[in-house]
């Protein structure tokens, strides 16, 4: 894992090698799930590269895709889940961010949907950010479309939040 993280972090490496390293980390996901320190280091590395605006765009997208693959293992790590969701939400909300990267952040949030059900604060923040993207008439069509799909997937988790569920359904209509 440390070797793969090193390859992923190495800015002198070709983006494709770095992307393959991220893919390999996902393949090791079930093994990482049992090692909290390795999972934390891996996710923090991916988040760091995803946040870095100076990083190669392809590497940033690879980081987001890897986060989707590691999403099933974050549910048992509430602090790591919170860091991940907050980082992704920051990218979703940032209109200066590239549309493809906002789409990647929304996709990653979609992968985290099952884990959000047990985290009402994160769930509410996620729904509100996605609704804002959907309502924004100037938003990229792919971003809006994906935000709608993720919101539809989150709707069953909103049963305990009737006002939020109603507002979300109205936004989708």
């Amino acid at each position: 894992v440390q070797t793969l993280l090193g390859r992923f972090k190495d800015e002198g490496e070709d983006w494709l090698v770095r992307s393959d390293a991220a893919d390999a980390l996902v393949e090791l996901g079930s093994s990482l799930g049992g090692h909290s320190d390795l999972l934390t280091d891996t996710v923090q590395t991916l988040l760091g590269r995803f946040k870095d605006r100076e990083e190669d765009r392809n590497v940033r997208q690879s980081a987001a895709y890897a986060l989707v693959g590691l999403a099933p293992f974050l549910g048992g790590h509430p602090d790591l889940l919170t860091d991940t969701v907050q980082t992704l939400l920051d990218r979703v909300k940032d209109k200066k961010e590239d549309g493809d990267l906002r789409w990647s952040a929304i996709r990653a949030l979609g992968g985290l949907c099952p884990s959000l059900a047990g985290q009402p604060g994160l769930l509410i923040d996620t729904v509100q950010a996605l609704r804002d993207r959907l309502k924004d008439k100037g938003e990229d069509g792919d971003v809006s479309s994906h935000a709608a799909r993720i919101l539809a997937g989150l709707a069953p988790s909103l049963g305990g939040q009737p006002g939020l569920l109603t507002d979300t359904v109205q936004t989708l209509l």
Side-chain angles (χ1 to χ4, degrees):
V1 170
Q2 293 302 333
T3 300
L4 291 171
L5 285 174
R7 296 299 292 269
F8 183 72
K9 291 179 193 179
D10 185 355
E11 294 179 11
E13 256 328 328
D14 181 75
W15 75 266
L16 192 54
V17 171
R18 295 171 76 193
S19 177
D20 288 344
D23 291 344
L25 289 166
V26 172
E27 293 298 321
L28 294 172
S30 60
S31 300
L32 291 174
H35 298 280
S36 186
D37 291 345
L38 283 176
L39 180 64
T40 299
D41 192 24
T42 299
V43 171
Q44 291 297 346
T45 298
L46 294 169
L47 290 174
R49 295 299 175 196
F50 185 67
K51 287 192 279 192
D52 185 358
R53 288 179 187 267
E54 300 300 315
E55 183 59 81
D56 181 278
R57 182 176 177 271
N58 295 306
V59 171
R60 292 178 76 197
Q61 284 189 304
S62 294
Y65 294 150
L67 288 167
V68 171
L70 294 174
F73 310 106
L74 297 181
H77 304 276
D79 291 340
L80 196 53
L81 178 63
T82 299
D83 288 349
T84 301
V85 171
Q86 290 302 330
T87 297
L88 295 170
L89 288 175
D90 288 346
R91 298 286 71 86
V92 168
K93 294 174 186 177
D94 187 352
K95 288 292 290 181
K96 293 179 183 175
E97 188 62 82
D98 177 78
D100 288 341
L101 291 166
R102 284 197 316 279
W103 182 91
S104 295
I106 290 170
R107 181 176 183 263
L109 285 167
L112 291 167
C113 283
S115 300
L116 293 178
Q119 302 283 337
L122 290 177
L123 179 63
I124 291 168
D125 290 348
T126 299
V127 168
Q128 289 174 336
L130 293 173
R131 285 179 42 215
D132 289 347
R133 291 289 50 85
L134 190 56
K135 289 180 187 177
D136 185 347
K137 300 295 182 202
E139 183 58 85
D140 178 271
D142 289 338
V143 172
S144 294
S145 173
H146 207 62
R149 276 188 241 130
I150 300 304
L151 276 172
L154 283 171
S157 301
L158 301 178
Q161 307 279 338
L164 190 58
L165 177 60
T166 300
D167 291 345
T168 300
V169 169
Q170 288 174 344
T171 300
L172 289 168
L173 296 175

